[in-house]
Amino acid sequence: MTSDRDDLVYQQAVRYAAELRELYEQNRIGAEELRARRGKAERVNGVLERQSMRAVFQPIRNLATGELAGYEALTRVEAEPRQPPNRWFEDAAEVGLGIELELAAVRGAIAEFERLPKDVFLSMNISPRSI
């Protein structure tokens, strides 16, 4: 037969175990998020170090005349994991490398600008923070 004191001790132990499980789960999730963040940082740094980006140019035409007016510079990342460029820029921003990746993309587009016709404009997407 159990006493009221034994029941109280048991209930406290159950609550304490539940709190420990919750702390463990929070720490496990935190560790997983940290590993994922480090992985993103390593991948973005790899792209920057190996210069695994290239500029491609989307023509912009004058709607009234159909003549070529300019180009929009777009970035393609040639690295694993294969994912759309916006995901690379999101990942870079998440790990504090957003400005570095944007500036690398701008430098790449400017370097290729010389091969475009001289009488056109070039537009680039860049965040206000990077400007």
Side-chain angles (χ1 to χ4, degrees), residues 4 6 53 67 80 82 86 90 96 98 113 116 121 125:
D4 288 342
D6 291 341
M53 298 185 333
E67 292 178 3
E80 294 296 330
R82 295 291 182 190
N86 65 303
E90 289 167 6
F113 184 60
L116 298 177
F121 66 86
N125 297 312

Side-chain angles (χ1 to χ4, degrees), residues 10 13 19-22 30-31 36 40 65-66 80 82 92 94 107-108 111 113 124:
Y10 176 76
E19 289 173 10
L20 285 176
R21 270 193 306 277
E22 185 176 333
K40 287 178 184 179
T65 65
E80 294 296 330
R82 295 291 182 190
E94 182 182 328
R107 282 191 296 274
F113 184 60
M124 292 183 262

Side-chain angles (χ1 to χ4, degrees), residues 11-30:
Q11 289 170 2
Q12 287 175 334
V14 168
R15 278 195 301 273
Y16 182 65
E19 289 173 10
L20 285 176
R21 270 193 306 277
E22 185 176 333
L23 284 173
Y24 168 78
E25 188 64 21
Q26 289 172 355
N27 286 331
R28 185 185 64 76
I29 291 169

